[in-house]
Amino acid sequence: MRKYRFGLWLAAVTIVSGAACQSAMAQGRFEVVTGKDFDSAVPKDFYLEGNAIPTEKRNAILVKTPAGARALFALIDTAGYAASIQTKYVGMAITEGDITLCGHRVAVGSYGFGWTLPATGVDAPGRFALYNQAGAQVADCVAQRQGDLNRPLPLQAIVAADGSARLYHGKHFIALQ
């Protein structure tokens, strides 16, 4: 009986310590969130400069930051809106915690973003710009191009083995920190 109890105790300690190790490993790295948590986070419409613009759930990504906050990025459908809106915005971002996008610290809040890309077939960097709800620019940077990216999606986040992450629009990306 004593061996049986020791075996149960050893199994319990192993399970608890394994869970603690997995939790510790998850901290300090980005994580892509899917499933029910993702489904409930994506809004139907996003409000920018007085317009409720539909989001594209199929082109949305939810990430959990190393600090445990969530950040949602999605492309928006600006067809039918003013040319100034169409040329300025391609997507939206909502952050629950501070995050750094391409070297710019961004506070908790909601934002629109634009992504200027070179002509098709041109291997050159693009440009990423982030705007607050009123349309004022809060960040701007170069979006590098990763030419060897297989099967690029319109919008995706890729987490590297070291836990860092990149937000991609096609083959162009910005760093998430």
Side-chain angles (χ1 to χ4, degrees):
M1 186 68 154
R2 182 174 261 174
K3 286 182 182 180
Y4 178 72
R5 280 190 210 160
F6 179 75
L8 285 175
W9 177 82
L10 185 59
V13 168
T14 303
I15 291 169
V16 170
S17 65
C21 288
Q22 283 183 329
S23 176
M25 287 174 53
Q27 293 177 350
R29 58 180 290 120
F30 279 88
E31 177 185 334
V32 175
V33 179
T34 60
K36 185 178 177 183
D37 290 338
F38 168 79
D39 290 336
S40 62
V42 181
K44 182 181 177 213
D45 295 313
F46 189 70
Y47 185 80
L48 282 169
E49 293 187 42
N51 298 288
I53 304 171
T55 59
E56 297 179 4
K57 189 172 186 176
R58 69 185 179 281
N59 292 316
I61 188 77
L62 179 64
V63 295
K64 190 172 182 182
T65 68
R70 296 180 305 165
L72 175 70
F73 302 93
L75 296 183
I76 55 176
D77 184 3
T78 57
Y81 288 85
S84 61
I85 298 293
Q86 289 182 14
T87 57
K88 189 174 188 178
Y89 299 111
V90 296
M92 53 74 69
I94 301 172
T95 65
E96 293 179 340
D98 291 350
I99 189 168
T100 301
L101 302 175
C102 62
H104 296 276
R105 187 176 174 149
V106 178
V108 173
S110 55
Y111 304 88
F113 64 83
W115 215 309
T116 307
L117 302 175
T120 303
V122 176
D123 186 11
R127 198 113 200 117
F128 175 86
L130 189 71
Y131 304 91
N132 66 19
Q133 289 282 279
Q137 189 172 2
V138 295
D140 178 58
C141 65
V142 171
Q144 296 298 324
R145 183 174 189 277
Q146 184 176 337
D148 64 347
L149 183 65
N150 293 330
R151 301 168 62 94
L153 299 174
L155 189 71
Q156 67 181 327
I158 297 177
V159 179
D162 67 359
S164 64
R166 291 177 173 176
L167 179 67
Y168 284 83
H169 182 41
K171 290 188 175 194
H172 289 81
F173 68 89
I174 60 167
L176 301 177
Q177 297 174 325

